[in-house]
Amino acid sequence: PIRSLAAEQAIAALPSRCDHCALELTFGQRRSHERSCPQRPAVCEAADDGCGWRGIHADLEAHEAGCRHALCRRVLRGAEARWATERDALRSHIERVEAANRAVE
């Protein structure tokens, strides 16, 4: 596609405002700011597990620190990692035992 650098620069310099916090900035700065704006909408990491909290990103960490759903998710994530390690060790052990049995036969 044909692009006009002058038009893109003119558009990027236009005044704009963040949809979340109303900060005045340029149109070119807006997208980057809105991705990290502390006032942007947020949901709990455990929304899929039943937590209905919705708020702003600035409050997310404090919410998740006390959310029972998020706590359960963190505990299970750690347990799943340990289970995977144990599962892999058991599979390896079974393979060695089966190889030893085949060698005896």
Side-chain angles (χ1 to χ4, degrees):
I2 298 173
R3 296 172 51 175
S4 169
L5 182 57
E8 289 178 18
Q9 290 174 337
I11 291 169
L14 291 173
S16 190
R17 186 169 283 178
C18 174
D19 284 339
H20 311 304
C21 69
L23 176 71
E24 292 184 11
L25 32 74
T26 66
F27 190 80
Q29 298 168 322
R30 183 175 161 187
R31 179 179 290 164
S32 175
H33 166 77
E34 286 183 346
R35 280 194 292 261
S36 62
C37 178
Q39 302 296 314
R40 71 188 182 278
V43 296
C44 179
E45 71 171 306
D48 294 341
D49 297 326
C51 180
W53 182 87
R54 293 193 184 322
I56 60 171
H57 197 268
D59 297 337
L60 180 61
E61 186 176 335
H63 163 76
E64 289 178 348
C67 174
R68 62 188 168 102
H69 298 287
L71 173 63
C72 286
R73 179 172 273 215
R74 287 189 298 274
V75 168
L76 285 175
R77 194 176 313 131
E80 287 170 347
R82 287 189 305 276
W83 296 335
T85 301
E86 291 175 11
R87 179 198 63 223
D88 294 344
L90 286 171
R91 284 182 178 159
S92 178
H93 179 72
I94 289 169
E95 288 171 3
R96 286 191 308 273
V97 168
E98 289 175 343
N101 285 341
R102 282 191 299 273
V104 171
E105 295 174 352

